Amino acid sequence: MLSTHSPLARKLGNFVALSESDLAVLDTLHRRRRSFAVGRDLVFQGQTHQAVYILAEGWVCSYKLMRDGSRQIVDFQIPGDFLGLRSVLFRTADHNIEPLTPVEASEVLESELLQTFADTPRLATALLWAASRDEAMVVEHLVGIGRRDARERTAHFLLELSARLTLVGRGTRDGFACPLTQYHLADALGLSSVHVNRVLRELREDGLATFQTGQVTIHDFDRLAELAEFDRAYLDQEGPLLR
Amino acid sequence: MLSTHSPLARKLGNFVALSESDLAVLDTLHRRRRSFAVGRDLVFQGQTHQAVYILAEGWVCSYKLMRDGSRQIVDFQIPGDFLGLRSVLFRTADHNIEPLTPVEASEVLESELLQTFADTPRLATALLWAASRDEAMVVEHLVGIGRRDARERTAHFLLELSARLTLVGRGTRDGFACPLTQYHLADALGLSSVHVNRVLRELREDGLATFQTGQVTIHDFDRLAELAEFDRAYLDQEGPLLR
DNA sequence: CGGCGATCCTGCCGTGGATCAGTTCATACT
DNA sequence: AGTATGAACTGATCCACGGCAGGATCGCCG
């Protein structure tokens, strides 16, 4: 029954048990539907008066540009994720958001959002939880870049994507459809695309996982998780905390 | 007048204008005072049924341990910051928290916290903001490790600490008191302590900043900010969003 | 059909930072 | 004063990863 609702409702439902009226409020946030084309950024660093979006369909990445032209992809967002939530709370965007596939998203106004928090504290709690989960992922990403070598980092990245996609029903333990290129991986992992390529070859030759355009296949989940020190505690949730 | 309240109230006051009753609720969260000794971790990775704390006095760091014994410090917390908020929302801690100085903190029960969210949506919004700000810092940290070299990374780190401490009145643009050792810097920056030492020497010799135990002195803020591509937009706030 | 732009793949060499193996310095303890 | 301890500092060596350059493959479009 949750599946008849938006991916966002599905995600939040993992944390707080949502009432019919909560779900109705979530639905009202989905009124202004927008489409975005691949590569046309929908949020720019430094932009003010930015709307928030709830991603309904497609993949995007959020990244920061450096002076020297290189970029660091901070995270990929998939359906059910908020886009630019921080930008509203700070009133100026500190990152860019780029669609990697054609994207469908619902625009939410700042006033609507703040009103929702005030009217529906349960949802505010759920959103706080979602924000914490996002932070946990960024932290894991940080640890990866700081203390894992290229192989471990890549392995961890693939496992995390797999876990997230599985949660919203778009992947399994064996693999998932994935629109990313090796360049995206490089920008996300803090590696050069050349090196990413080598690492992917190694993972493939070792029978751990295959990354090809459009499809990621995980051949040996356990060994991959072992290599990556992957701990899914920070993604799993054994049922709603708030009933 | 805000200064008569807790550092947390002071911090949140930057985002939402807090009423007397909001402040009173915040005060009730500070009832259970606890003290912690240096080096005795107050949260452990994997621990469940964890309380949250509001840091009142002292510094702590949150970190993750790797299999090989190395660690990645994810963030340092200073008075006014929450400790272990994620651990409650996830019901199991995904990191450790270690006091770097003697610490005073208020213990907050999970039930109290959730009740506060429900009763005082304004505070929930403020906390969401604080969580977003924390995430922004982790993101900046991530970008630093991924795309900045050791010098830039170190410079950025010092500037960020300076900005945060200035916000709570414990530092100026010229420097701040700082209990960290070079080992802490190494664990935070993803460098070896040896290399940190070399980088600090360079910064000192270039007349940019001096890091000594107990005191950080910034000699040339502008050149340092230039070197680090430091953008304080993500920390600044031009006044409360919610009035 | 042939040309063009992405993407993927590979080899070779340069380098930033890790690691090892120390020395110096400061404070604290006896 | 003499010893212990922990932080700061230094030089020599090594290696993971980046940069560059060239090539293979595929899909798209005229």
Side-chain angles (χ1 to χ4, degrees), chain A residues 207-229:
Chain A
L208 295 171
T210 302
F211 179 97
Q212 26 185 201
T213 20
Q215 184 65 31
V216 172
T217 312
I218 295 176
H219 303 304
D220 190 333
F221 187 96
D222 294 332
R223 272 173 58 225
L224 202 59
E226 165 66 16
L227 168 65
E229 292 190 55

Side-chain angles (χ1 to χ4, degrees), chain B residues 181-183 194 197-198 201 204 211 213:
Chain B
T181 69
Q182 296 188 354
Y183 293 96
V194 177
N197 183 278
R198 277 191 269 259
R201 172 164 53 80
R204 189 178 348 109
F211 180 98
T213 21

Side-chain angles (χ1 to χ4, degrees), chain A residues 117-118, chain B residues 16-19 22 117 120-127 242-243:
Chain A
F117 291 162
Chain B
V16 304
L18 297 172
S19 68
D22 291 337
F117 291 161
T120 330
R122 248 180 137 60
L123 276 183
T125 306
L127 289 176
L242 247 193
R243 297 194 176 277

